[in-house]
Amino acid sequence: MRNIIAILRGIRPEEVLAHAETLLDAGIEVLEVPLNSPDPFDSIALLVERFGARARIGAGTVLTVAEVARLAEIGAALVVSPNSDARVIRATRAAGMESWPGVMTPTECFAALEAGASGLKFFPASVIGPSGLSAMRAVLPLGTPLYAVGGAGPASFAEWFRAGASGFGIGSALYRPGQDALTTGTKAREIVAAYDAAIRKSG
């Protein structure tokens, strides 16, 4: 499985299945619907019902324990946040879901891992940069999954991999509200091709 999270911010329930189908066909198998999208829980429930056996499906911009509980009820597999809240991390892990909190500093990284985070979302990656991630990778526990989100894209995948990134969350470069599923599929194939090329180059 490629370590790419498709961030479908702004997607609507009536279109989410068509876009998800094109993403899965392109080779992206982790789908995130941020909770500041229209009717996000409806979209996530539809995705879980249709594609739960084929993909890891969850929510982004998760800020509260109550949201975690609702996601667990509908069968989501992962919880992604822009911040690092130990209560959200612990509730997520207790519910059997992956927890991906947003971090920027070593202190936040270690606190998130202590709370049980499955991996770390470096956000915004454009501020941290590959050099910042590389410095933090050197002191974090070996094998900790580190995803660059917000500013990492196809042109810089190889540089991020060299810095120690494990994967990426891709938002507007992949999906923008109002675009059709055909466009999403085209972008997804381009991103997958760039990811695969970067893996070969960095390996």
Side-chain angles (χ1 to χ4, degrees):
M1 178 182 287
R2 295 176 180 88
N3 293 331
I4 301 173
I5 300 175
I7 303 170
L8 303 175
R9 190 178 307 279
I11 202 158
R12 298 177 180 276
E14 60 268 24
E15 61 181 343
V16 72
L17 294 180
H19 287 268
E21 185 80 57
T22 64
L23 290 166
L24 291 169
D25 288 346
I28 297 177
E29 300 173 324
V30 187
L31 311 178
E32 170 196 326
V33 177
L35 294 187
N36 56 0
S37 304
D39 302 310
F41 294 102
D42 292 344
S43 290
I44 294 165
L46 287 168
L47 289 172
V48 169
E49 181 180 5
R50 177 74 66 86
F51 301 115
R54 293 177 57 191
R56 285 157 53 213
I57 296 160
T61 320
V62 180
L63 301 175
T64 69
V65 170
E67 291 168 344
V68 171
R70 190 168 177 188
L71 290 165
E73 288 176 3
I74 61 178
L78 71 155
V79 168
V80 184
S81 300
N83 64 332
S84 183
D85 185 324
R87 296 167 300 176
V88 169
I89 296 169
R90 292 191 186 103
T92 299
R93 300 299 287 148
M97 296 182 289
E98 296 178 26
S99 171
W100 291 84
V103 296
M104 282 191 72
T105 69
T107 298
E108 290 175 339
C109 291
F110 282 102
L113 292 173
E114 176 67 24
S118 308
L120 302 176
K121 166 188 168 180
F122 280 85
F123 175 81
S126 58
V127 174
I128 299 163
S131 61
L133 185 142
S134 179
M136 283 186 271
R137 166 63 88 184
V139 298
L140 290 171
L142 189 66
T144 302
L146 310 179
Y147 276 43
V149 182
S156 59
F157 282 163
E159 184 179 9
W160 282 102
F161 278 135
R162 288 193 296 271
S166 310
F168 306 94
I170 306 295
S172 58
L174 181 59
Y175 171 81
R176 291 179 182 273
Q179 81 181 28
D180 58 34
L182 181 63
T183 301
T184 299
T186 299
K187 291 181 176 181
R189 288 188 294 274
E190 292 171 351
I191 286 169
V192 165
Y195 178 97
D196 290 348
I199 285 283
R200 291 192 297 270
K201 186 175 181 180
S202 63

